[in-house]
Amino acid sequence: MQSFTYDQPATRVIFGVGTFDRLPDEVKRLGAKRALVLSTSEQLKDAEEAVRRLGSLAAGIFSRAVMHVPIETAREARAAAKQHDADCCVAIGGGSTIGLGKAIALESGLAIIAIPTTYAGSEMTPIYGLTEDGVKKTGRDPKVLPKAVIYDPELTLTLPPKIAGPSGMNAIAHCVEGLYAMDGNPLISMLAAEGIRALARSLPRVVEAPADIDARADALYGAWLAGTVLGAVGIGIHHKLCHTLGGTFNLPHAEVHTVILPHAVAFNSKAAPAAMRITAESLGVESAAQGLFDLAVRIEAPVALKDIGMPEDGLERAAELATQNPYTNPRPVDYAGVLALLRNAWSGKRPE
Ligand code: NAD
């Protein structure tokens, strides 16, 4: 049995079909009276539905959330919160919208109620990100952890298969890295294994039958577990590489995770045998790396960096950036090893 320290704040979670209707009660439970609702422009209708449910508890809508939380957007949203005299935020959407809520909370301490509509898992973490002059900086602060999370699978029915699949792979990546994290513990490993099981069984159904509410609920359940894992542990080579590729080469977040994951797992496989065994068992396969690659193929998600906008002549630069600062990972992170990983990921080769 490993030695560990377990010290996690619990987040209030309301899960189930129709739980969106409980939003006003959650705002009142916080003692708040003026909620600013956040969304992307694509999800303005969801924000309007939130306002309809909130009635007099709604202070306004800010619907300009975008990927990677540019500092300019964060400033506009912070100003909107002040202008509307908001005493809490309701973030309805994926990681981008919840990230905007966190940017507001970081400065003002306003409470966030998150209503996730993807599987990214940000709602369960104290991790925030802000992009300034093209550089994305992340940090951890308990202030940005939402006070309550409403998971209503009905809100995910509109998530198109081509976003849902990679988003689910992003969640699986949180679980896998939780299994070999240096600061992991047995409870987090159980959540990670169950998260992988739930996502691996539900994602193919979500993609093949997008209206299947049971599959959507199962995937959202897996996302909750995955987000909890990410919030509790330090990340390794997989998340670091995705961060570098996303930030420097402006590649789409969930798709980068999907492509890199099987290769990051192959990179770590000999150094983290227990994590590999649990991942493979949870996927119901022999090899964790191959199983993850095959799952991505099955859900028609991208498997090659070259197909999601990565220039081949950027691979060396990416390997340099990813090995500049030391970080914990089961296998020591070296330039040659990372470059080989990136070349395999670029071409979309199935790991051996
Ligand atoms: P996203 O939030 O950028 O959403 C992608 C698109 O899908 C958006 O246009 C959004 O409006 C739309 N969408 C979301 N849900 C929908 C639904 N149910 N129906 C129709 N359209 C829907 O994507 P994401 O992958 O959820 O989030 C990515 C961002 O989150 C990245 O910036 C990433 O860094 C961040 N993130 C942060 C953490 C953390 O812990 N801080 C964790 C994971 C991801």
Side-chain angles (χ1 to χ4, degrees):
M1 173 67 75
Q2 72 199 104
S3 304
F4 60 87
T5 302
Y6 183 81
D7 180 14
Q8 288 306 313
T11 299
R12 179 176 164 84
V13 167
I14 297 102
F15 192 105
V17 173
T19 51
F20 191 15
D21 291 342
R22 289 174 46 191
L23 176 60
D25 290 341
E26 290 304 312
V27 171
K28 283 185 212 150
R29 196 171 179 277
L30 291 176
K33 295 190 176 69
R34 297 186 57 79
L36 177 66
V37 180
L38 309 172
S39 73
T40 61
S41 57
E42 294 86 7
Q43 285 183 277
L44 178 58
K45 278 215 165 60
D46 286 337
E48 287 168 350
E49 276 302 310
V51 166
R52 194 174 67 73
R53 282 165 174 76
L54 286 168
S56 61
L57 294 169
I61 293 181
F62 183 90
S63 62
R64 294 199 294 281
V66 289
M67 187 82 97
H68 301 313
V69 196
I71 188 75
E72 299 76 17
T73 311
R75 286 190 186 123
E76 280 175 39
R78 288 165 176 168
K82 277 195 193 126
Q83 187 198 331
H84 289 290
D85 196 19
D87 55 9
C88 76
C89 289
V90 171
I92 182 162
S96 299
T97 303
I98 294 167
L100 184 63
K102 288 176 169 183
I104 297 175
L106 186 66
E107 194 194 61
S108 61
L110 279 195
I112 303 169
I113 297 176
I115 311 180
T117 62
T118 70
Y119 311 129
S122 176
E123 64 282 357
M124 296 305 296
T125 84
I127 306 167
Y128 61 87
L130 277 168
T131 304
E132 191 162 10
D133 299 328
V135 180
K136 185 167 177 178
K137 291 200 181 116
T138 57
R140 283 182 182 252
D141 192 318
K143 265 208 299 277
V144 308
L145 187 69
K147 296 286 182 283
V149 179
I150 297 177
Y151 285 106
D152 187 339
E154 265 182 353
L155 289 166
T156 64
L157 287 171
T158 48
L159 191 65
K162 72 174 197 326
I163 303 182
S167 180
M169 294 300 291
N170 184 190
I172 292 179
H174 305 334
C175 296
V176 172
E177 291 232 296
L179 286 171
Y180 58 60
M182 301 301 147
D183 53 355
N185 62 67
L187 187 64
I188 287 301
S189 293
M190 283 197 293
L191 297 184
E194 174 67 356
I196 297 171
R197 275 195 294 275
L199 288 154
R201 72 181 170 233
S202 59
L203 289 179
R205 284 200 292 144
V206 162
V207 168
E208 282 151 26
D212 181 339
I213 190 74
D214 291 330
R216 295 286 190 171
D218 207 15
L220 204 55
Y221 162 66
W224 166 44
L225 302 180
T228 306
V229 171
L230 180 67
V233 297
I235 52 174
I237 188 171
H238 171 78
H239 282 80
K240 291 281 181 189
L241 258 184
C242 292
H243 188 103
T244 302
L245 292 166
T248 309
F249 299 94
N250 200 24
L251 306 185
H253 174 85
E255 285 78 0
V256 176
H257 275 269
T258 308
V259 174
I260 292 294
L261 185 60
H263 301 284
V265 164
F267 180 90
N268 276 331
S269 66
K270 287 205 178 75
M276 296 305 142
R277 182 180 47 74
I278 297 171
T279 301
E281 277 172 12
S282 307
L283 291 167
V285 298
E286 289 289 316
S287 150
Q290 290 178 350
L292 290 165
F293 184 91
D294 296 344
L295 178 60
V297 171
R298 185 164 170 211
I299 62 174
E300 294 171 20
V303 290
L305 287 178
K306 66 177 179 197
D307 295 337
I308 59 167
M310 178 70 194
E312 189 173 13
D313 62 9
L315 295 178
E316 290 174 357
R317 171 98 183 107
E320 263 167 39
L321 288 171
T323 49
Q324 248 167 19
N325 299 312
Y327 50 88
T328 54
N329 186 64
R331 173 178 153 187
V333 179
D334 63 302
Y335 175 80
V338 171
L339 185 58
L341 181 171
L342 284 171
R343 286 201 198 287
N344 288 338
W346 188 83
S347 61
K349 189 170 166 252
R350 185 175 186 253
E352 282 163 10

